[in-house]
Every structure is written in structure tokens, then in C-alpha cells.
Amino acid sequence: MLGRVLNTHQQWLCRRMADAGMPVARQVAIPDTSTSIREAVAEGLTRADLVIVTGGLGPTSDDLTRDEVAGLLGLSLREDLATRRNIEAFFASRGRKMPPRVLIQAQVPEGAIVVGNRHGTAPGLLIPAAAGRFGPGPRWLLMLPGPPRELRPMFDQEALPLLRERFPSASGFQCLTLRTCGIGESWVEEQLDPILPPLIQQGLQIGYCARTGEVDVRLVATGPAASEVVAHAESAVRDRLGVHIYGINDDSLEAVAIRLATEANARLVVAESCTGGYVTHRLTNVPGASKVVWGGWMTYDNAAKQQLLGVASEVLSDHGAVSEACARAMADGALRAAQATHALALTGIAGPSGGTPEKPVGTVFVALAAAGAETLVRRFHNPFDRETFKYVASQQALEMLRRSLLGLPPMAGIRAPAKAA
Amino acid sequence: MLGRVLNTHQQWLCRRMADAGMPVARQVAIPDTSTSIREAVAEGLTRADLVIVTGGLGPTSDDLTRDEVAGLLGLSLREDLATRRNIEAFFASRGRKMPPRVLIQAQVPEGAIVVGNRHGTAPGLLIPAAAGRFGPGPRWLLMLPGPPRELRPMFDQEALPLLRERFPSASGFQCLTLRTCGIGESWVEEQLDPILPPLIQQGLQIGYCARTGEVDVRLVATGPAASEVVAHAESAVRDRLGVHIYGINDDSLEAVAIRLATEANARLVVAESCTGGYVTHRLTNVPGASKVVWGGWMTYDNAAKQQLLGVASEVLSDHGAVSEACARAMADGALRAAQATHALALTGIAGPSGGTPEKPVGTVFVALAAAGAETLVRRFHNPFDRETFKYVASQQALEMLRRSLLGLPPMAGIRAPAKAA
């Protein structure tokens, strides 16, 4: 609650629950005090058939949740022998002495289904609330340990099957995200507005998620025809957005680029100035990148551009380091030096300082040299903070590469100097 | 709510509010339907003096929040002329045609204080709720736009000063985070346990936040003596952890390294294999990095190591690319090629495949060559997923650089091959 830690449980659990046909209706985060815990759990049970609680199951003095929940539901605690043995085995297998207080984690409320923890000592608990106490139907409380590497496998392997048994009627739920880049949200909406009414009548819910330089189109449907509705919508959206869709769901542009490069048996190199290694970092985040990424240069200093990539001093003196000519020379030099099939190069002004009226902060030139083809250079204007600038420029470079590998028409850049914001 | 987007607003706002002495008591996330929005806002106003709402202020059909809040509070909407002009200017300055429906963002509830948006078109709104309607005292509703790069500057520059005026009695709150890396949480706790009791008696709250390869120690106090209590605790903790503390609060290791390198008038280069450009990316995220970062090499392929950094083929054939000898040769080659003062080099196995019993996945060698000094090489074992591996390895490299620039004793590495997890 002090904002020192980012909570990733909510996103992770919401996604898992939605994919299992049980979309989450509300997320709540509270301080770990007795009153807050009791109040929030009681309120949740009034509101929903199932409440998932994370954290507060450990052995330390601020782990209050197990006791508070037992108190709220009027359940006494008993020692669970299997859990006790799991805790003892956990310490024994690591050759560590077991502090006595960890055994408090074997105390479970009467009537709770114990959910085994293969990666830690605090078990999960699935607890039925007395019928009628919080609402008409049966109510369930699922308690999960806080550490992600305990929570996630426990949820997938142990808890979700138990939930499916108890909520067998969870309606069909289908969610598909089509990922685009290089186009704006309003353009996407303009393209899709005419085709939406019949789809929405069929039960489609459409959502847009716009981030800087990219728009996700999310297609959701529930009920027995969910799959058909989403498939139908996907095909209609693809007709409209075509080339701009680079992937679905969790596809990243770098993963798509590496896949295409691998299929093309390509050898990739990257020469970066303003992005400082970020494009190469993204490409090498993809497992298997080593098959196609040969290497790269980070030429921040002008001397590095000349010395490492062979950029001619006249290019720098006549056009400057942030220029179409320099980007071209960097890409051509990189392609040559590595005898690569594809070379990306980026030079620009990440800011916050260094802009001029002709080349304001955010200006970037992206070049793509490919063996046997004319080198392509595009100018973009990304007037954002430094890290966003790097991200958007890297998207532009990766998208140029993706289109080249697919033989698609290249992206449009901008021509005239854009005005600074 | 479907878990497709990670919500970072709550952490960010909680942190800002806590630092301003107004800790947040509850976080709620809801679907963007009329009923949910009205219900959650009404509930929040019953519970607290101030409710902050993010998102739903844009021009699209799923942006319902402005209308629902006006309805809930019984306020009619009026056009705000300054906002209209800001929206028109926003499109004009970008040379883009203004779609008519964006002007809906100039509709604001009667009585709302309009909070200017310098980075977008939807204004923020600070709205008083009718006294007595939701609880005894005055109640305020702050509505902020969803995009982080609009919300964050608006909150800091415009909204927070308005809140401070309205909540002048916010109690003294002091929070200091001391950031360490390269040591474990249990070691930190062992060091600090003996000195804590008197500090806690003075009112100190201490918190640890352990992430892979780093531990933050958070010192918190409230009340009139908050500053003294935290200052006293800081000095006691620094006595114990000394060299391991690299910064405070939002200091990043890369920012500290760039600052020290700038003071030392250094010229830095980086030669990366397994980290694929990530170290260079982190260094160049720091504004002003161009003063000290000359450039770098990303030598993924063995041929790149030989050709670009002059690593001898015997080094590769006798020791392999993941070896102390190769890391040393990479750093020495990079230092020489750029006539740099400091060269970092990293070579290792990010995984998921490629490990051997002697060099399991997660093995990394980090070398630091400095002009006129003996080249230092350390071996580490970071048996994590690919991106965490890159992050932890980059921390190790940056920490080696920081210590070298400060003349501190170097980090310890590992000697024997660690066993695979």
C-alpha cells in the first residue's frame, strides 16, 4: 500500500480465471491489518461466489490472514499432518534447521481443503463458507501463498482443478487479442467501426488497448457460441487491419521477427546509436535468438560510428549523426562487416536535450539494409520521455524488419520535420 | 479485469501519496461498466476523504467514467473553454485533423476544478462531493486520465499541489529506502537484527523488499519526529551494510554508475554476449550517458567475438566462449579498440538450453578492464529465466563498475562450478 512493490498477482490470476471461463469481477488490495482483512474478505464473500486471497499465510508476525479468516468464518484451527510433514521435509531436504515457528503454517481451519505447496511451506486453503451466511448460494474462499513462484504452480496444478469441479457451469469464454503496431487508436477504430454492429449483435465484446505506438484489439465472447463469434470477428478484423497485425495474444514483435528470421535462415546485425542496445536486447530476449543474431554495435560516439561501422566523416560533417545519410551508412557498414542478410540501424535524439528546430528531440532515422536490396531509411518523430522513445523506436525498427522478412510493403515514415510538442 | 494489462497506476499513486503523508487505505479495480463505476466510486467516497479514479476520461464509447461520476454526484456537464482550446491546439500542433468526438473531453461536471493535461487531451478533474452525502467531513474525487505519460506529470505538477492545499494536516511521514545489491535478504537481516530493537522503540518501521539479486531496506516513521527517527536509523543501517548500499529511493545502479563515471571523466565501453545489449541499454537510459558511454559491441556469435574484439581463436577452442579467458579477452579487446578507461564484458549461458555440468545454464563471467589496472574477472551463477538472468548479470556488471570507480574492494564471485538447480 506504500507503493514500494508492484502487485502482479491480480493480473496473473485475472487472466487465468478469465481463460477458465470465470472472469473476475473486482480486485481489491488492502493493508495487512486484522480489521482490513476481515472487512475485505466478508465484503468479497457477499459480492461473489468465490473470493481469492493472496498472501499472509507465512510464519511471521505480520501473516495474519489465516487466523482472521478462521475467526471470520467461525472455524477453529487444527494441525494438518501432511502439511507438517511437508514443512519438515522442506527444511530437511535443504539441510537447514527448521525454526519452530514455521510449524504454525500447518494450522488449518476445520473443513478447509488443503492445497499442497511444492515450492514452499505455506499450503493453500480452499474453504467453504457456511451456506446463507454471506448470500444465497454456496460461497468459497481460496487462499494462496504470496510468493509468485509458490502461488503460480499451486494455482495451475492444484487449485484450478478444484475450482473447476466446484464451478462446472463456468460459461464458455473466448478471448483473442490481435496486436498491431505503427497505427493509432483512432485509425483502428475508424477501420473497424463499420464492421462492428453485426458482430456485437452476435455477442462480441471488443476492447482497444492503446499504448504508445501500438494498439491491441481484444475480441471477447462468452457462452456456447463464444469460439465461433470470436473466430468470425477475427476474420473480419484481419480483413480490415491486414498487414498491421503482427501477432496475437502474447506474441511480441521481437519473437515474431526472430521466428521469421529463423525461417528465412537470416543473419541479423544491429547498429544502434540513440537506442543504446535496446533493439539487440529485445531480439536476444527471445530463446533461440543466437541462431540468427550474429551481433551488433552500439555506436554512441561519432568516433565509434566512423571507426566501427565505417561511416564517412563527410556524412557526419555534411548531414550530422542524426540523418538519413548516417542511418544508411550505419546499416550498410554493419551489413558489410558481418556479411549479414539484414542489418538494422538507428540514430536519433532520445533527449531530454540535444534537439534543434529541424531535428527536435524524438527524431529518429531507422535504416534497414538487406543483402541484394536497396537500403530503406525511414524518419519518425517520437516525442516522448527517454525510455518510451527507445521503446517506440525499437518497435519501428522491428516492424521494418518484420515487413521486410515477409515481403510486405514498407512502413511509411514522416517527411517534413515535425514540430516539437 | 481479464488480466491482459498490468496495472501500474496503483503502485505509482500509492507511492506518491505515501510520500506526501497521505497513505492510501484501499485499492480497487473494476470492469468499465456503468454499474461497477458508480458503485465503486460511491463506496470509496463513503470510506475515505479522497478517492482517486484513473481512466475512462477519453473520447471513445467505453470511456464512461466522466458521465457516471457526474450522474452519481448529481452534477450536469458544461463545456470548459480552456480544455477545448487545449484539445484543438493539441491536434493543430501535430498537423492532425481533429475528429469531432474528441471534444467530448471538454465536457466537465459543474463545480469541478479542471486539472490541465500537457501531454494529452483529456483533462483531470478534482470534484467536491456534496457535504454529508457520503459521510461527515468533506469528500473529494480526483479523476486522472489513464495513459501513464499523461497521468504521472499531471499528478506531480498539477494535482498534488491541489491535494496538499485541501489536506494540509497530512501527518509527518518519512520513508527512506536504502538499496543494496549482491547480498541476500537473510544476510541483510542478520546484520540488522542486533541494531533494530532501540530503533523500533523510537517508532521506526523497517521493511525488506527482496528481489532477485538485490534487497531494499525501507525505513519508515510517522509523526513529528519522523525525520529524526529515519535519519538515526539510516546512519545505523549504513554502519552495518556499508559498501553494499549503492543508492537510496529511486536511484538505479546505472544512474549511480553514470554519475561516478562522469565525475571520473571516464570513457566507458561494453562488450556483451549473453546479455545481448542489455547492460548498454541500461547505461544509456540515463540522461547524459552520451558524455561517458563511447559505444559497445554485441558479440553473440563466436565469429563476432573474434572479428570485432580480437578474441584469439585459441581462447575459444581451449576454454570456450563462456570462460574466464574469453571474458577477459573481450574486455581487453574492447578497452583497446576504443582507447577507453573502463570496459565491461559479459559472456554466459542465458538458457533455457546450452548448459553443461561444468557450465550450467545461468553461468556468467563478467570482466572489467580498466586502463592501467589488472583486468578483473568474476564468475557468477544466475539460474533464472532468460530475462531475469540478463537483469541479474547486468546488476553484477554495473556493481563491478561502481566499485571500481569508487576504489572499493571488488565483488566476490563463485569459484567451483555451482550445481544446476
Side-chain angles (χ1 to χ4, degrees):
Chain A
M1 299 303 293
L2 299 176
R4 264 63 189 183
V5 181
L6 181 64
N7 182 353
T8 58
H9 284 337
Q10 294 179 327
Q11 179 191 16
W12 192 88
L13 285 168
C14 280
R15 174 143 198 182
R16 283 298 198 277
M17 290 298 288
D19 287 345
M22 297 177 269
V24 173
R26 178 174 280 221
Q27 303 167 8
V28 177
I30 49 161
D32 49 1
T33 65
S34 299
T35 319
S36 299
I37 293 168
R38 280 200 186 216
E39 197 182 299
V41 172
E43 193 187 304
L45 286 170
T46 314
R47 199 184 289 281
D49 303 323
L50 170 67
V51 174
I52 301 177
V53 177
T54 65
L57 303 178
T60 65
S61 54
D62 56 356
D63 289 311
L64 305 169
T65 309
R66 183 183 28 237
D67 283 6
E68 293 304 328
V69 163
L72 173 72
L73 301 180
L75 302 171
S76 55
L77 294 168
R78 65 169 180 90
E79 182 176 82
D80 184 67
L81 197 60
T83 303
R84 186 194 176 107
R85 288 197 179 129
N86 181 53
I87 297 171
E88 289 167 346
F90 183 91
F91 281 88
S93 75
R94 283 159 178 77
R96 285 163 52 195
K97 199 167 158 269
M98 183 179 76
R101 71 177 177 198
V102 301
L103 282 180
I104 199 175
Q105 298 170 108
Q107 296 290 321
V108 308
E110 288 290 350
I113 297 160
V114 175
V115 188
N117 188 343
R118 299 186 198 176
H119 299 87
T121 52
L125 298 165
L126 180 61
I127 310 175
R133 163 97 188 266
F134 298 98
R139 296 282 197 265
W140 290 90
L141 187 65
L142 173 63
M143 301 172 70
L144 299 171
R149 61 190 198 85
E150 299 178 27
L151 179 147
R152 294 181 179 194
M154 180 190 289
F155 183 83
D156 283 342
Q157 293 155 27
E158 315 278 339
L160 190 54
L162 293 172
L163 295 181
R164 284 191 201 274
E165 279 170 30
R166 277 150 194 86
F167 299 94
S169 61
S171 63
F173 176 91
Q174 203 66 30
C175 178
L176 178 76
T177 302
L178 296 171
R179 311 198 66 178
T180 75
C181 72
I183 46 180
E185 188 178 17
S186 56
W187 189 87
V188 172
E189 286 204 64
E190 254 176 58
Q191 294 300 305
L192 300 187
D193 267 355
I195 61 163
L196 288 181
L199 295 168
I200 288 169
Q201 255 192 331
Q202 289 169 25
L204 182 78
Q205 298 163 49
I206 189 157
Y208 302 102
C209 181
R211 289 178 301 277
T212 317
E214 54 196 271
V215 180
D216 290 346
V217 179
R218 193 161 45 235
L219 309 172
V220 176
T222 50
S227 295
E228 278 164 71
V229 171
V230 167
H232 185 186
E234 177 184 5
S235 132
V237 171
R238 283 190 182 274
D239 275 355
R240 284 285 169 148
L241 302 183
V243 54
H244 299 289
I245 298 171
Y246 69 80
I248 63 166
N249 297 336
D250 291 329
D251 284 347
S252 64
L253 198 46
E254 54 270 38
V256 171
I258 290 290
R259 182 173 51 75
L260 295 171
T262 307
E263 286 166 13
N265 209 11
R267 173 187 283 193
L268 297 181
V269 289
V270 186
E272 304 186 55
S273 181
C274 55
T275 43
Y278 186 56
V279 175
T280 325
H281 166 56
R282 287 185 63 184
L283 286 168
T284 59
N285 276 345
V286 182
S290 56
K291 287 196 191 69
V292 287
V293 177
W294 188 81
W297 294 261
M298 216 291 286
T299 55
Y300 230 44
D301 198 287
N302 281 354
K305 295 180 182 70
Q306 295 181 255
Q307 189 179 319
L308 305 183
L309 297 171
V311 175
S313 60
E314 299 75 40
V315 166
L316 297 170
S317 56
D318 294 357
H319 303 276
V322 178
S323 64
E324 177 173 338
C326 183
R328 184 184 304 277
M330 287 169 68
D332 290 345
L335 192 79
R336 210 167 37 235
Q339 297 183 285
T341 61
H342 295 77
L344 283 170
L346 301 97
T347 179
I349 306 161
S353 59
T356 66
E358 293 74 33
K359 295 172 186 171
V361 167
T363 299
V364 63
F365 291 87
V366 183
L368 174 63
E374 208 181 322
T375 298
L376 188 75
V377 189
R378 287 291 181 266
R379 176 182 186 145
F380 301 100
H381 185 219
N382 308 325
F384 311 124
D385 66 89
R386 199 171 168 90
E387 290 190 47
T388 308
F389 167 87
K390 286 172 109 177
Y391 177 75
V392 175
S394 73
Q395 286 286 96
Q396 289 154 344
L398 294 173
E399 175 66 0
M400 278 174 66
L401 177 62
R402 180 185 78 92
R403 293 209 186 182
S404 164
L405 287 164
L406 281 173
L408 295 171
M411 295 172 82
I414 60 169
R415 270 170 191 286
K419 281 183 190 124
Chain B
M1 298 305 294
L2 299 176
R4 264 63 189 182
V5 180
L6 181 64
N7 182 353
T8 57
H9 284 338
Q10 295 180 326
Q11 180 193 15
W12 193 88
L13 285 168
C14 280
R15 173 148 196 176
R16 284 299 199 274
M17 291 298 286
D19 288 345
M22 298 178 270
V24 172
R26 178 174 281 220
Q27 304 167 9
V28 177
I30 50 161
D32 48 0
T33 65
S34 300
T35 320
S36 299
I37 294 169
R38 281 200 187 215
E39 197 181 300
V41 172
E43 194 187 304
L45 286 170
T46 314
R47 200 185 287 281
D49 303 322
L50 169 67
V51 174
I52 301 178
V53 177
T54 65
L57 302 179
T60 65
S61 53
D62 56 355
D63 289 312
L64 305 170
T65 309
R66 184 182 27 237
D67 283 7
E68 293 304 329
V69 162
L72 173 72
L73 300 180
L75 303 171
S76 56
L77 293 169
R78 64 170 181 89
E79 183 176 81
D80 184 67
L81 197 61
T83 302
R84 187 194 175 104
R85 288 196 178 132
N86 181 52
I87 296 171
E88 289 167 345
F90 183 91
F91 281 89
S93 76
R94 281 158 180 76
R96 283 166 52 195
K97 198 166 158 270
M98 182 179 77
R101 72 177 173 197
V102 301
L103 282 181
I104 200 177
Q105 298 170 109
Q107 296 290 321
V108 307
E110 289 288 352
I113 297 160
V114 175
V115 187
N117 188 343
R118 300 185 196 175
H119 300 88
T121 51
L125 299 165
L126 180 61
I127 310 176
R133 163 96 188 267
F134 297 97
R139 295 283 197 263
W140 290 91
L141 187 65
L142 174 64
M143 302 172 70
L144 298 171
R149 62 187 196 87
E150 299 178 25
L151 178 148
R152 294 181 180 194
M154 180 190 288
F155 183 84
D156 284 342
Q157 293 155 28
E158 315 278 339
L160 190 54
L162 293 172
L163 296 182
R164 283 190 201 276
E165 280 170 29
R166 277 153 193 84
F167 299 95
S169 62
S171 66
F173 176 91
Q174 203 67 30
C175 180
L176 177 75
T177 302
L178 296 171
R179 311 198 67 177
T180 74
C181 72
I183 46 179
E185 188 179 16
S186 56
W187 190 86
V188 172
E189 287 203 61
E190 253 176 59
Q191 294 299 306
L192 300 187
D193 267 355
I195 61 163
L196 287 181
L199 296 168
I200 288 169
Q201 255 193 333
Q202 290 168 25
L204 182 78
Q205 298 163 49
I206 188 156
Y208 302 102
C209 181
R211 289 179 300 278
T212 317
E214 53 195 271
V215 180
D216 291 346
V217 179
R218 191 160 51 234
L219 308 172
V220 175
T222 50
S227 296
E228 277 164 72
V229 171
V230 168
H232 184 184
E234 178 186 4
S235 130
V237 172
R238 282 190 183 275
D239 274 355
R240 283 285 170 149
L241 302 183
V243 53
H244 299 288
I245 299 172
Y246 69 80
I248 63 166
N249 297 335
D250 290 329
D251 284 347
S252 64
L253 199 45
E254 54 269 39
V256 171
I258 290 291
R259 181 171 52 73
L260 294 171
T262 307
E263 287 166 10
N265 208 13
R267 173 186 282 193
L268 297 182
V269 289
V270 186
E272 303 186 57
S273 182
C274 55
T275 43
Y278 187 55
V279 176
T280 325
H281 167 56
R282 288 185 63 185
L283 286 168
T284 59
N285 276 346
V286 182
S290 56
K291 288 195 191 69
V292 288
V293 178
W294 187 82
W297 294 263
M298 215 291 286
T299 55
Y300 229 44
D301 198 286
N302 280 353
K305 294 181 182 72
Q306 295 181 256
Q307 190 180 317
L308 306 184
L309 297 171
V311 174
S313 60
E314 298 75 40
V315 166
L316 296 170
S317 57
D318 294 357
H319 303 277
V322 179
S323 63
E324 177 172 339
C326 184
R328 185 186 303 276
M330 288 170 68
D332 290 344
L335 191 80
R336 209 166 39 234
Q339 297 184 284
T341 61
H342 295 77
L344 283 171
L346 300 96
T347 180
I349 306 162
S353 59
T356 66
E358 293 73 35
K359 294 172 186 171
V361 167
T363 299
V364 62
F365 291 87
V366 183
L368 173 64
E374 207 180 323
T375 298
L376 189 74
V377 188
R378 287 289 182 266
R379 176 182 187 147
F380 301 100
H381 185 222
N382 308 323
F384 311 122
D385 66 89
R386 200 170 166 91
E387 292 191 45
T388 308
F389 168 88
K390 286 171 108 177
Y391 177 75
V392 175
S394 73
Q395 287 286 96
Q396 288 154 343
L398 293 173
E399 176 66 0
M400 277 174 67
L401 177 61
R402 180 186 77 93
R403 294 210 187 183
S404 163
L405 287 164
L406 281 172
L408 295 171
M411 295 172 84
I414 60 168
R415 269 170 192 284
K419 280 184 191 121

